[in-house]
């Protein structure tokens, strides 16, 4: 079985690198300067136990690779980039006949809950993955994964529900590569639970670290965002893993460590602004809550403001920390009066 990691950033690079390190067959897919660095110098993967330099095969797109019947496609791009990635791969021929969309499984290793639905329009066999993997990608060719003793916890299961022998086989490979990989029959329940945690991403991205003088106000704003999320999920009849369940699974098995004396800077949205990518995943995090609110008749002013603000930061090339918690709170409080 060969893993094709579509999007070799923080998550894809860590998963692919650790699978490759443990002897699995892996190909990374990257673009631009990141592709060139991986091609010329290999993947630099920093872990609490030390730095690795891995000569993982890398391509810059589907045209550079002949697909095999035993390939597993792991989509690790941000959800806003999913359609382009899925369209590029779904129609590619597979050795022995047929296309990737017809024959190959695709695993959505992404935040949010929309990626699986997008994939199922194009691929017959779709798997969801709930990703607990604090990692950073800030410079070409270099990934940092900050947790110990496990690198991360990756729930995997069929979409929309169920599990099967392939999920178990992927899980076994992940467990041999520094991860835990539960295989629940309700993986989306775990992804909806994680979605509520990711509502904080936009706040961190726009305001910077949430542990300064405004920490109490930040906690209050985030509590309001999560309360909206809980309300719309209840209104839509969507179950999710509770905070207690998630804490019990993680335990002390994914503890953040400093690497080279430097603490991790921030999550995925913070990293998008730091790298100046021009896009951010807020439409599929806070925006998912806004969408559900509009379909169920539940007001979601906090998440609407966070979505709009994060998107404006990405469009305008603004850096993390250029807003403040009081500014965001004022925008939320005035939202209903616009």
């Amino acid at each position: 079985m060969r893993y094709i990691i579509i999007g070799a950033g923080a998550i894809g690079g860590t998963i692919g690198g650790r699978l490759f390190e443990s002897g699995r067959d892996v190909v990374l897919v990257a673009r631009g300067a990141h592709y060139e660095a991986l091609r010329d110098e290999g993947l630099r993967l920093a872990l609490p136990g030390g730095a690795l330099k891995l000569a993982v095969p890398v391509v810059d797109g589907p045209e550079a690779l002949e697909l095999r019947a035993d390939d597993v496609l792991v989509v690790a791009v941000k959800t806003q980039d999913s359609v382009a990635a899925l369209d590029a791969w779904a129609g590619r021929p597979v050795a022995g006949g047929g296309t990737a969309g017809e024959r190959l499984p695709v695993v959505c290793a992404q935040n949010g809950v929309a990626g699986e639905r997008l994939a199922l329009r194009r691929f017959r066999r779709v798997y969801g993955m709930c990703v607990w993997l604090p990692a950073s990608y800030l410079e070409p060719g270099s990934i940092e994964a900050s947790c110990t003793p496990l690198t991360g916890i990756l729930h995997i299961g069929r979409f929309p529900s169920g599990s099967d022998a392939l999920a178990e086989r992927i899980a076994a490979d992940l467990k041999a590569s520094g991860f835990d990989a539960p295989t629940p029959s309700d993986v989306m329940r775990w992804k909806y639970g994680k979605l509520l945690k990711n509502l904080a991403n936009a706040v961190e991205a726009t305001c910077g670290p949430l542990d300064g003088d405004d920490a109490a106000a930040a906690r209050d704003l985030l509590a309001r965002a999560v309360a909206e999320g809980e309300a719309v999920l209840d209104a839509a009849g969507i179950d999710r893993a509770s905070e207690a369940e998630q804490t019990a699974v993680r335990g002390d098995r994914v503890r953040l460590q400093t690497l080279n004396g430097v603490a991790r800077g921030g999550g995925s949205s913070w990293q998008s602004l730091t790298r100046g990518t021009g896009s951010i995943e807020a439409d599929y995090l806070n925006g998912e809550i806004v969408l559900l609110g509009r379909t169920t008749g539940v007001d979601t002013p906090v998440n609407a403001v966070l979505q709009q603000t994060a998107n404006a930061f990405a469009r305008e090339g603004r850096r993390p920390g250029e807003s403040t918690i009081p500014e965001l709170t004022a925008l939320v409080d005035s939202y209903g009066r616009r």
Side-chain angles (χ1 to χ4, degrees), residues 106-254:
V106 61
V107 179
C108 296
Q110 300 166 296
N111 285 334
V113 294
E116 289 78 8
R117 295 196 300 271
L118 295 171
L120 199 60
R121 293 178 185 271
R122 297 156 175 87
F123 288 82
R124 291 179 59 244
R125 299 163 63 196
V126 175
Y127 295 76
M129 178 177 281
C130 182
V131 177
W132 290 97
L133 201 177
S136 300
Y137 160 51
L138 296 176
E139 62 179 82
S142 182
I143 308 292
E144 296 181 348
S146 308
C147 276
T148 189
L150 294 176
T151 299
I153 299 176
L154 308 172
H155 291 69
I156 182 170
R158 286 295 297 263
F159 178 78
S161 63
S163 189
D164 61 15
L166 180 62
E168 295 290 347
R169 186 176 174 189
I170 294 170
D173 284 347
L174 291 168
K175 289 175 182 178
S177 305
F179 303 96
D180 190 13
T183 54
S185 61
D186 54 356
V187 69
M188 296 309 294
R189 181 172 177 272
W190 289 89
K191 295 200 73 166
Y192 274 102
K194 174 82 180 317
L195 172 65
L196 295 177
K197 305 287 289 185
N198 285 139
L199 299 181
N201 288 22
V203 181
E204 179 189 59
T206 56
C207 298
L210 306 180
D211 54 2
D213 294 339
D214 294 327
R219 288 193 297 270
D220 178 67
L221 185 63
L222 291 176
R224 294 170 66 183
V226 171
E228 288 179 359
E230 296 274 8
V232 299
L233 294 181
D234 286 342
I238 297 173
D239 193 15
R240 62 275 187 190
S242 68
E243 178 67 27
E245 288 177 278
Q246 295 173 67
T247 299
V249 168
R250 292 194 303 275
D252 62 354
R253 299 185 300 159
V254 281

Side-chain angles (χ1 to χ4, degrees), residues 4-326:
I4 299 173
I5 311 295
I6 302 170
I11 300 306
T14 302
I15 293 173
R18 298 241 63 186
L19 285 168
F20 181 82
E21 180 199 11
S22 70
R24 274 63 187 177
D25 196 357
V26 175
V27 177
L28 301 178
V29 182
R31 298 178 299 176
H34 191 41
Y35 161 72
E36 293 170 359
L38 293 171
R39 178 196 62 195
D40 296 343
E41 303 174 20
L43 172 65
R44 302 187 303 276
L45 179 60
L47 303 166
L52 304 174
K53 191 169 184 179
L54 303 168
V56 190
V58 60
V59 297
D60 60 356
E63 296 80 7
L65 191 66
E66 181 176 340
L67 294 178
R68 309 185 323 212
D70 66 342
D71 284 336
V72 174
L73 306 181
V74 179
V75 177
V77 299
K78 298 290 197 320
T79 306
Q80 67 268 26
D81 298 319
S82 283
V83 169
L86 293 164
D87 284 347
W89 288 88
R92 296 298 299 171
V94 177
T99 65
E102 295 165 340
R103 296 190 57 194
L104 299 185
V106 61
V107 179
C108 296
Q110 300 166 296
N111 285 334
V113 294
E116 289 78 8
R117 295 196 300 271
L118 295 171
L120 199 60
R121 293 178 185 271
R122 297 156 175 87
F123 288 82
R124 291 179 59 244
R125 299 163 63 196
V126 175
Y127 295 76
M129 178 177 281
C130 182
V131 177
W132 290 97
L133 201 177
S136 300
Y137 160 51
L138 296 176
E139 62 179 82
S142 182
I143 308 292
E144 296 181 348
S146 308
C147 276
T148 189
L150 294 176
T151 299
I153 299 176
L154 308 172
H155 291 69
I156 182 170
R158 286 295 297 263
F159 178 78
S161 63
S163 189
D164 61 15
L166 180 62
E168 295 290 347
R169 186 176 174 189
I170 294 170
D173 284 347
L174 291 168
K175 289 175 182 178
S177 305
F179 303 96
D180 190 13
T183 54
S185 61
D186 54 356
V187 69
M188 296 309 294
R189 181 172 177 272
W190 289 89
K191 295 200 73 166
Y192 274 102
K194 174 82 180 317
L195 172 65
L196 295 177
K197 305 287 289 185
N198 285 139
L199 299 181
N201 288 22
V203 181
E204 179 189 59
T206 56
C207 298
L210 306 180
D211 54 2
D213 294 339
D214 294 327
R219 288 193 297 270
D220 178 67
L221 185 63
L222 291 176
R224 294 170 66 183
V226 171
E228 288 179 359
E230 296 274 8
V232 299
L233 294 181
D234 286 342
I238 297 173
D239 193 15
R240 62 275 187 190
S242 68
E243 178 67 27
E245 288 177 278
Q246 295 173 67
T247 299
V249 168
R250 292 194 303 275
D252 62 354
R253 299 185 300 159
V254 281
R255 301 192 306 270
L256 278 172
Q257 301 287 303
T258 59
L259 296 177
N260 300 316
V262 179
R264 180 170 179 258
S268 56
S269 297
W270 179 91
Q271 292 173 45
S272 292
L273 294 184
T274 299
R275 296 202 316 274
T277 62
S279 71
I280 200 166
E281 58 193 337
D283 284 343
Y284 298 96
L285 302 177
N286 308 93
E288 186 73 31
I289 301 306
V290 173
L291 173 62
L292 285 171
R294 289 170 180 168
T295 58
T296 58
V298 176
D299 290 336
T300 58
V302 179
N303 284 285
V305 166
L306 295 180
Q307 177 190 9
Q308 293 168 8
T309 304
N311 280 330
F313 265 60
R315 284 194 310 271
E316 297 164 9
R318 299 176 67 185
R319 303 281 294 179
E322 290 188 11
S323 187
T324 67
I325 296 298

